[in-house]
Amino acid sequence: QLQLVESGGGLVQPGGSLRLSCAASRFTLDYYAIAWFRQAPGKEREGISCISSSGGRTKYTESVKGRFTISRDNAKNTVYLQMNSLKPEDTAIYYCAAIRRPGDVCYILESWYDYWGQGTQVTVSS
């Protein structure tokens, strides 16, 4: 089955930037829509962004819109989340998720995705 591994998390000061990566193995991501979710301590898992398999459609929640950018490089079998202007409330474990869904569609819905990575910790603190 498809396997996803997140990387790029760490400790960053408020206002700083990080780029998260979601790398796939066993299968290529060409026909998969990808989403990023996060879960802060004591909070429910929150969907923050998604990208269609074609890369032609992206979506963001209001809390990250304008600060985060999702992108994909199918040649590298990797999806990225560029995070700028980070705030303490962005502190969470970040997960990527995938579903085989060709076309220009994606949804920021946890139940829509079949495959999940292990998560990477992002901590924003001074």
Side-chain angles (χ1 to χ4, degrees):
Q1 64 180 40
L2 180 70
Q3 292 186 329
L4 304 172
V5 178
E6 304 95 334
S7 62
L11 175 64
V12 64
Q13 295 185 29
S17 298
L18 285 173
R19 188 179 74 161
L20 305 184
S21 298
C22 175
S25 63
R26 287 195 166 88
F27 299 93
T28 66
L29 290 176
D30 295 31
Y31 299 106
Y32 288 82
I34 307 294
W36 285 95
F37 296 82
R38 66 186 182 187
Q39 188 166 24
K43 302 291 186 179
E44 298 293 323
R45 186 174 291 168
E46 174 192 21
I48 56 174
S49 186
C50 69
I51 186 168
S52 62
S53 61
S54 68
R57 185 176 301 279
T58 58
K59 295 179 180 179
Y60 303 90
T61 60
E62 288 297 321
S63 62
V64 307
K65 191 175 298 181
R67 299 189 298 122
F68 292 9
T69 303
I70 191 169
S71 63
R72 65 192 300 154
D73 186 341
N74 285 350
K76 296 182 178 179
N77 220 27
T78 301
V79 173
Y80 304 98
L81 185 68
Q82 179 67 47
M83 306 187 296
N84 299 325
S85 302
L86 284 162
K87 305 173 181 179
E89 51 263 45
D90 295 319
T91 295
I93 300 174
Y94 284 70
Y95 301 88
C96 66
I99 182 172
R100 190 179 187 280
R101 191 60 52 90
D104 289 335
V105 62
C106 76
Y107 299 98
I108 308 176
L109 292 171
E110 183 175 344
S111 62
W112 204 58
Y113 294 90
D114 296 322
Y115 306 101
W116 292 79
Q118 85 289 348
T120 185
Q121 177 71 49
V122 172
T123 303
V124 184
S125 177
S126 59

